[in-house]
Amino acid sequence: MCLYLFRMIKNLSFKIGFPLLGILGGVSLNAQCTAVSSFSENFDAYSCCSMGVVPTCWDSVLLNGASQIISSTSPASGTSQIYQTGYGTGKISIVVMPPITNISAGTHRFRVKMKANSAGYLEFGYIKDNLPDTFVMLEAININNTSYNDVASERIFTVPTSVPDGMRLAIRNPGTSFAGHYWDDAVWEPIPNLATNEISIASGVNVYPNPFNDTLKISDIKDVKSITIADAVGRVIRTIEKPSTILELNDLQKGMYFVNLHFKDGTVKSFKSLKN
């Protein structure tokens, strides 16, 4: 019944229990916090292993026996990190980041280091008022590295300008993987200015025609690592790991889409495309 206990005082938060489809779950609600324009968190002010502990102005959602704690098992830096686990229907944990003023400004990015003790799966997205049913996934996170030393451990996520103001960034474990998921050194930061060669690469690539019917064309894909396509509210609906110059999109409904080109140098260029 730990989901009904008060959270640690240092987190300035309290926990409530509530029924979800007849099954009990829990949500931590932090005290009112002023929104910030950036943050950097290594979780070292917190220690293992009380359930649902997150930094002040963050929040934790735990449903149906899912687990989320502060762990000291080989963090990326310092002494502590986030740990999320739980496998099975409805075993969902969501770590909700602090309120930010510029979630949809297109000027900032989220950077974090991740690992898992076996093949893992998390989801990066946004949420409203810590309500689990309002979570919207922006990008699926497949984690195959078991160490922070792996070059794949650092992940960088951009947020579409279509995300509604007032939403909060979140990472969800939907309970579809047996893995224990670890993440550390979470940063919401300005997108670095592009170097001259990066500007040249990005500016020389175009997506056309616009509007399009069934196919989109990319003028040059030699420096493009992957492509994600998001709908009008920013939900990623397609990820293409090895793109070609022609994208077959006849199965998409008519409407507005964001086509995001992820370059090998870590930069991202986004196009707004209308399908007829």
Side-chain angles (χ1 to χ4, degrees):
M1 300 297 291
C2 63
L3 295 180
Y4 290 89
L5 298 178
F6 281 99
R7 286 278 302 280
M8 298 171 65
I9 294 176
K10 66 182 178 182
N11 283 317
L12 300 178
S13 59
F14 60 90
K15 190 175 287 288
I16 61 172
F18 69 95
L20 178 67
L21 300 178
I23 306 174
L24 295 178
V27 178
S28 73
L29 298 177
N30 267 316
Q32 185 68 35
C33 290
T34 302
V36 297
S37 60
S38 62
F39 64 81
S40 178
E41 180 60 65
N42 64 7
F43 311 103
D44 289 351
Y46 309 89
S47 58
C48 189
C49 296
S50 297
M51 192 72 69
V53 172
V54 289
T56 302
C57 295
W58 293 50
D59 287 300
S60 177
V61 178
L62 299 174
L63 303 177
N64 306 310
S67 170
Q68 179 270 304
I69 62 172
I70 298 293
S71 168
S72 58
T73 304
S74 301
S77 67
T79 58
S80 300
Q81 65 200 320
I82 292 287
Y83 176 78
Q84 287 176 277
T85 188
Y87 177 75
T89 302
K91 286 192 173 184
I92 295 171
S93 69
I94 307 175
V95 176
V96 184
M97 293 172 231
I100 52 179
T101 59
N102 50 2
I103 189 170
S104 58
T107 58
H108 285 58
R109 67 182 190 180
F110 179 64
R111 179 166 54 88
V112 66
K113 294 177 182 176
M114 293 181 161
K115 67 177 182 178
N117 55 22
S118 61
Y121 175 83
L122 295 174
E123 296 169 341
F124 172 71
Y126 61 88
I127 193 170
K128 179 177 175 59
D129 298 331
N130 306 326
L131 300 173
D133 290 344
T134 68
F135 178 85
V136 175
M137 184 181 74
L138 293 175
E139 190 167 336
I141 311 171
N142 293 297
I143 308 174
N144 295 311
N145 54 292
T146 58
S147 167
Y148 288 122
N149 295 325
D150 192 306
V151 68
S153 66
E154 183 167 85
R155 304 297 185 95
I156 296 175
F157 303 94
T158 56
V159 177
T161 56
S162 56
V163 173
D165 290 338
M167 297 295 175
R168 293 171 63 182
L169 299 178
I171 292 179
R172 179 173 73 165
N173 176 13
T176 57
S177 168
F178 282 105
H181 306 82
Y182 301 84
W183 48 281
D184 198 1
D185 297 343
V187 181
W188 177 246
E189 63 184 5
I191 298 173
N193 291 329
L194 299 180
T196 302
N197 65 320
E198 293 172 339
I199 293 174
S200 176
I201 290 171
S203 61
V205 178
N206 289 299
V207 173
Y208 63 96
N210 191 21
F212 71 97
N213 292 318
D214 293 329
T215 61
L216 270 176
K217 296 180 180 180
I218 306 172
S219 60
D220 185 357
I221 54 103
K222 69 176 184 297
D223 294 305
V224 179
K225 180 181 179 181
S226 63
I227 297 173
T228 56
I229 298 175
D231 63 14
V233 297
R235 293 175 295 198
V236 175
I237 59 174
R238 182 79 54 83
T239 298
I240 304 167
E241 295 293 346
K242 295 180 179 180
S244 64
T245 55
I246 297 178
L247 304 181
E248 296 290 346
L249 301 174
N250 58 303
D251 58 325
L252 295 185
Q253 301 286 330
K254 293 181 179 180
M256 184 67 68
Y257 294 91
F258 294 92
V259 181
N260 304 302
L261 306 185
H262 301 260
F263 290 88
K264 295 174 183 177
D265 60 16
T267 61
V268 179
K269 187 175 183 181
S270 183
F271 296 85
K272 185 183 290 186
S273 300
L274 179 66
K275 182 177 182 185
N276 286 329

